[in-house]
Amino acid sequence: MNESHHAFERYEAIWLRVVLVMILVFLVLIAYTALNYGQTIPRGAGQIRVGEVRAGSEFANPRLEQVGNEYVAYVQAFAFGYSPGEMRVKRGRKVTFYVASPDVVHGFMIERTNINVEVVPGYVSKVEYTFDRPGTYKIICHQYCGLGHAKMLSRIVVEE
Ligand code: CUA
């Protein structure tokens, strides 16, 4: 074997270790977010006719409802905004969000949580979350949906 072959082997060994360390770091990060932010895996909650989001469904009257000790929110994600534009909840109570779009694909991401939902026309997205820390959380569209995408915001206020 010549000199350059040995040099290649050394680089290969170094990069193999770098890759293994990165895999470890990613696994630790996944475990960290799952433990600290809970599991907020969005679920499909059935289909909906796009034309019924604004008329003839629960979403035609977007709202936050208190049901016993919990909340249920029906949210319209549309070009370009959310309805309701603001929601207020008490901390420590479960909130179930149902989100639907009357037009194109939107996102439903809540800052400082791991809620990250895609809202596809024709389907209802569902995600549950319990806010433990009071404060104002921005709700952000993270799917490019047109010229007003960057202004597509809402918020949820968590009170003591
Ligand atoms: Cu809606 Cu981007």
Side-chain angles (χ1 to χ4, degrees), residues 90-109:
K90 295 253 185 283
R91 78 175 187 136
R93 300 196 189 172
K94 190 167 90 176
V95 189
T96 304
F97 298 95
Y98 292 95
V99 193
S101 163
D103 40 55
V104 297
V105 176
H106 295 284
F108 185 82
M109 191 188 114

Side-chain angles (χ1 to χ4, degrees), residues 64 73 75 81-89 97 108-112 131 135-141 152-158:
L64 175 81
V75 180
Y82 295 94
S83 187
E86 184 186 289
M87 294 177 272
R88 286 178 175 270
V89 299
F97 298 95
F108 185 82
M109 191 188 114
I110 304 185
E111 64 169 350
R112 286 179 284 130
F131 293 86
T136 300
Y137 297 72
K138 272 189 202 131
I139 301 173
I140 301 156
C141 179
M152 190 166 163
L153 291 169
S154 173
R155 59 187 191 162
I156 182 157
V157 181
V158 180

Side-chain angles (χ1 to χ4, degrees), residues 78-82 104-107 141-146 148-150 152:
F78 58 89
F80 299 101
Y82 295 94
V104 297
V105 176
H106 295 284
C141 179
H142 63 289
Q143 290 285 353
Y144 183 75
C145 52
H149 163 70
M152 190 166 163

